[in-house]
Every structure is written in C-alpha cells, then in structure tokens.
Amino acid sequence: MNYNWNWGILFREPYLGFLITGVITTIQLALIAWVVAFVLGSVLGVMRTLPSRIASSIAAVYVEVFRGIPLLVWFFLWFFVVPELLPREWGRWLKRDLPDPEFWTAVVALGLYTACRVAEQVRAGIQAIPRGQTMAGQAGGLSQAQIYRYILLPLAYRRIVPVLTSEFMTIFKNSSLALTIGVLELTAQARQIESFTFQGFEAFTAATVLYLVITLTVTVIMRQVEARTRIPGLLGQKGG
Amino acid sequence: MTEFDWTAVTNNLPFLMQGLFLTFQLTILAMVGGILLGTVLAILRLSAPAPVPQLIAGYVNGLRAMPLILVIFWFYLLVPLALGRPVGAFPSALIAFTLFEAAYYSEIIRAGIQGVARGQLQAALASGLSYAQAMRYIVLPQAFRAMLPILLTQSIILFQDTSLVYVVGLRDFLTAANIVASRDQRPVEMYLFIAAVYLVLCAGGSFAVRRLQRRLAR
C-alpha cells in the first residue's frame, strides 16, 4: 500500500476553510430543517390522534408517502421536478431569484421528510397517555384544544424526548445527502479536498471526526434535556 | 407547467429494470451479510470476555454516528487500496452496506436476544447444552421470531438507502433514472416514475410487515 501521508494539508488554506464552512453549513442545514420537521411533525402527529376522520387520514397519507420514497429521491423531486410543475413564474423565482436555491431546497427536502418521522413519534407519545387524562380534562370542562395544549402535548413531548434525540441526530447525518444537489456541506467539502489533493484518507478522517464531535455534542446536550424533562415514576428511567 | 411525455420512461424501461435489479441484488446481499455479521456482533457483545464487548460497542456506535454517504466514500477509497488493485463500485458498495447495516442489525438482534426469558438459557445450559448450542437451538430461534418485523422494517430502510450508491456512480435504479433523465431531458417524468415505483414497493413491503406482526402477535 503506497500512500503519501500529509495531515498538514487539513490545516492549510484553502482546505481548512473548506472544512470550517462545511461544518457550519451542515449545522445550519440540520437546525433549520429540524425546526420545520418539529413544527410540521407535531401538527401531523396531533392530526393523527384527532377524532376527525379527514384530519387523521390526511396525516396518515402524508406519513406513508414520505416514508415510502427514499430521501435521496425526495431531494431530486424537490430540486428537479417541483420547479417544473409549479406555475412558470414561481418556477423561475425558485431557480433564479431565490438566493442559494440548493440550500433552501435541501432545507425543504430534509425538513418535510423528517416531519413524517417526528409525526409518528408524536402520535405514539400521545397514544401512550392513559385515557383517564383526557377524560379528566373533559370532566373539568376543558375544550379539546385546551386538553391538547395543557395535558396531552406536555406529557407526550416529555415521554418522547429520547426518541426525538435520535431523530435529531439522524437529521445531521441525513443532511449529507444535500451534496447531491450541490450544497457544500461537510461531506461534500471532504470530497472536494480529496479530489483537489488526492489526500482522501486525511479528508475523510477529518469529516468522520467532525461528525463524531457533532454527534457527541448533541448527545451531551440532549442528556441534559432528557434529565430535565423526565417524567418521575415511569419505568425504564434511571432514578425517577 | 410542462406537458408530460412518458415515452422517455417507456423507451428506457429495460435499462431502468436493470437498475432496479441491481438495487434488489445489493439489498439482498447486504441484508444477508448484515444480519449474519450483526448476529455475531450481538452475541459477542453479550457474552465475550472483557475487551471484546467494548470494542464492538465502539464499532457500532462509531458507525451509527456517521452518515452513510461518508461510509460509502470511505470504502470506495479503502477497498481498492487494501486490495492493491482497482475493483468496481459494486464490491466496495456491498462491503460498505454490509458493515454499516451490521451495526444497525446488531442492535436490533441484541435487543431481541435480551428479550428472551432468562430461564430459557438457564434451562438449556442445565440440560447439558453448550453455550453455542443453547444460543443456536433455544435462544436465537425465539429471538428471531420476535424481532422478525423489526428486521424486515430495517431491510426496507436498507432498500431505500441503497439509492445512495448514486454518489459513486453505481447504476442502481435511481442512477439509471438519473442517466436517462439528463440524456433525454425528461427529469420530471423520470423522477416521478421512480418515486412511484419506490413508493409502491416500500408501502407494500411495510403493509406486509404489519400483517406479519399481527399474525406473530396472536
């Protein structure tokens, strides 16, 4: 195996700058997409538990369609197909006038896809709450909106923090797919360094270490969140 | 709005089907390899002496912290270097998927093994079976039965994930569609078509898994 090691390349410009902007782009993309996923996923998750047949079937179809198509295909659909299907002016705006169209397309693709996974968790969280809680709310004269706002959602979110943690980490990893439509996030930058310098080992090692650091940071932060939001007295929780 | 013209799809159907065939090939090989390796990893993690479980935990958690695309790039770079000669994209992608999925399968299988009642293993050992025999004939059959739906769901995810071989130019279903889309300038029809095929296959697959789950639960 002949290979010329050159770790110094990672700390030289422009390659150091590539890695830094890559990390920043990955974090921006993941965080903005997460906000989209969390808000939309919560709405869909609630819809699935509503008594209204129409609301729950709309949400069910959304989840089924988004889960049934690979994320990479979604990226291509949002980037190549949707601008063509919209009215001509809208399509032109998306392709020409929107600043940084690749980045915002990636936010939409990643956010709407992750929303279906968040929705399933929120639904499961709400359905795991004993019926008595809802009945007590009704007996106390709360409206349905109030029951969700003050009883069901606070309990459901606290229950599902651990699974949301893993979805949150997944969105950082999935953001790497944005490289296929030209977003220069971390993995794309590592590959760019490889093709400029042929130092693939060093470039991919740097990217791997940076992803591990991101994952570790998220884990540490989410541990704190989990500890603070834990519902006392539930099984499967240390301490409690 | 553009007018739809599906001839780009119908004219290239054989080429697309070759891509779909490669997608299935990769899925099934990586699934078999991943489950076998995942079983070994899970058993070793639960019962091997000191440094082994920690090493396996490092392997599993390390891979689970990495994006699959990066793993695919790694093996695309590493496999030819390790073998000292160029190999096609398929072997390196297959190795990447097998090792990557083994990390996920092993976590499912470990949970499955831990879900088997302790008395089962104790009774097997008490009646004179070796640890390997107890695993092979008593614990694993029960564990696999219980976790079959989750293993299959993971395999549907694997089926979707194989589309990422696009980044190393391997001609799977998505890459074949991409080639035709850019050559014939019909990306809209092409991507809608493959999205529909993926949706039918995956929704059908998960419907079948749910039915199986209900039957196993009875």
Side-chain angles (χ1 to χ4, degrees), chain A residues 72-93:
Chain A
L72 186 51
V73 177
W74 278 116
F75 271 94
F76 287 1
L77 287 176
W78 290 112
F79 195 65
F80 296 114
V81 177
V82 170
E84 305 296 328
L85 296 182
L86 291 171
R88 207 173 284 277
E89 296 78 56
W90 297 17
R92 187 173 304 142
W93 182 80

Side-chain angles (χ1 to χ4, degrees), chain B residues 61-203:
Chain B
N61 294 333
L63 271 184
R64 281 157 55 100
M66 276 168 79
L68 177 53
I69 287 198
L70 190 57
V71 178
I72 294 173
F73 282 141
W74 260 122
F75 282 92
Y76 193 62
L77 176 82
L78 282 180
V79 173
L81 275 177
L83 295 178
R85 63 189 167 80
V87 289
F90 190 82
S92 77
L94 179 58
I95 293 171
F97 273 99
T98 305
L99 296 182
F100 184 79
E101 291 300 324
Y104 285 81
Y105 281 126
S106 85
E107 286 293 276
I108 298 171
I109 295 165
R110 186 166 67 108
I113 292 174
Q114 285 177 324
V116 174
R118 189 179 296 269
Q120 295 285 328
L121 180 62
Q122 287 168 344
L125 294 176
S127 60
L129 295 187
S130 69
Y131 186 81
Q133 285 173 324
M135 272 290 159
R136 164 76 186 77
Y137 296 107
I138 310 291
V139 177
L140 285 181
Q142 297 183 55
F144 269 102
R145 194 182 142 88
M147 67 201 173
L148 189 59
I150 312 175
L151 285 177
L152 291 174
T153 303
Q154 180 64 35
S155 305
I156 296 174
I157 296 172
L158 166 63
F159 174 69
Q160 296 195 349
D161 282 348
T162 58
S163 60
L164 297 189
V165 297
Y166 166 81
V167 297
V168 292
L170 189 57
R171 281 192 194 173
D172 74 318
F173 192 38
L174 175 63
T175 313
N178 179 263
I179 291 170
V180 177
S182 50
R183 193 193 55 201
D184 295 1
Q185 293 297 310
R186 307 294 323 176
V188 175
E189 293 84 350
M190 224 48 234
Y191 292 130
L192 285 178
F193 171 71
I194 61 159
V197 173
Y198 270 117
L199 180 60
V200 168
L201 291 173
C202 295

Side-chain angles (χ1 to χ4, degrees), chain A:
Chain A
M1 213 164 90
N2 285 318
Y3 190 82
N4 297 315
W5 297 98
N6 184 2
W7 291 97
I9 200 98
L10 297 175
F11 301 99
R12 202 176 305 149
E13 286 305 330
Y15 307 115
L16 182 62
F18 282 12
L19 289 173
I20 293 171
T21 53
V23 170
I24 292 172
T25 309
T26 291
I27 293 174
Q28 279 176 334
L29 177 55
L31 288 183
I32 301 174
W34 178 253
V35 173
V36 175
F38 186 76
V39 173
L40 182 61
S42 298
V43 172
L44 289 165
V46 167
M47 279 168 71
R48 288 210 65 177
T49 62
L50 289 177
S52 153
R53 263 262 153 108
I54 303 167
S56 69
S57 0
I58 290 174
V61 169
Y62 181 97
V63 169
E64 207 60 51
V65 168
F66 274 79
R67 217 172 30 183
I69 297 174
L71 178 55
L72 186 51
V73 177
W74 278 116
F75 271 94
F76 287 1
L77 287 176
W78 290 112
F79 195 65
F80 296 114
V81 177
V82 170
E84 305 296 328
L85 296 182
L86 291 171
R88 207 173 284 277
E89 296 78 56
W90 297 17
R92 187 173 304 142
W93 182 80
L94 277 179
K95 280 189 282 193
R96 302 240 179 94
D97 300 335
L98 178 71
D100 208 354
E102 293 87 4
F103 181 83
W104 291 107
T105 308
V107 166
V108 170
L110 197 53
L112 297 195
Y113 178 81
T114 310
C116 85
R117 304 168 56 122
V118 173
E120 281 298 274
Q121 308 298 356
V122 170
R123 175 183 67 96
I126 293 173
Q127 286 176 342
I129 299 169
R131 287 268 290 284
Q133 299 275 356
T134 308
M135 289 148 121
Q138 285 164 341
L142 297 185
S143 70
Q144 185 164 46
Q146 286 173 322
I147 291 175
Y148 271 94
R149 165 71 185 80
Y150 294 108
I151 300 176
L152 296 181
L153 282 178
L155 281 172
Y157 280 131
R158 288 175 71 177
R159 247 173 216 270
I160 62 173
V161 171
V163 279
L164 285 185
T165 301
S166 90
E167 289 304 331
F168 188 49
M169 283 201 247
T170 306
I171 210 168
F172 281 93
K173 292 183 276 172
N174 278 346
S175 70
S176 61
L177 269 65
L179 75 88
T180 58
I181 59 170
V183 178
L184 289 175
E185 45 64 71
L186 183 50
T187 307
Q189 296 288 19
R191 198 164 63 137
Q192 197 160 235
I193 297 176
E194 190 224 349
S195 56
F196 287 176
T197 65
F198 299 106
Q199 306 296 141
F201 265 111
E202 292 86 339
F204 291 147
T205 304
T208 305
V209 169
L210 289 168
Y211 275 112
L212 290 178
V213 170
I214 291 175
T215 307
L216 226 72
T217 314
V218 172
T219 312
V220 169
I221 295 172
M222 291 309 289
R223 283 248 172 84
Q224 294 292 318
V225 176
E226 279 171 34
R228 285 181 185 213
T229 57
R230 182 164 63 199
I231 304 173
L234 283 187
L235 279 177
Q237 294 181 337
K238 286 162 237 146

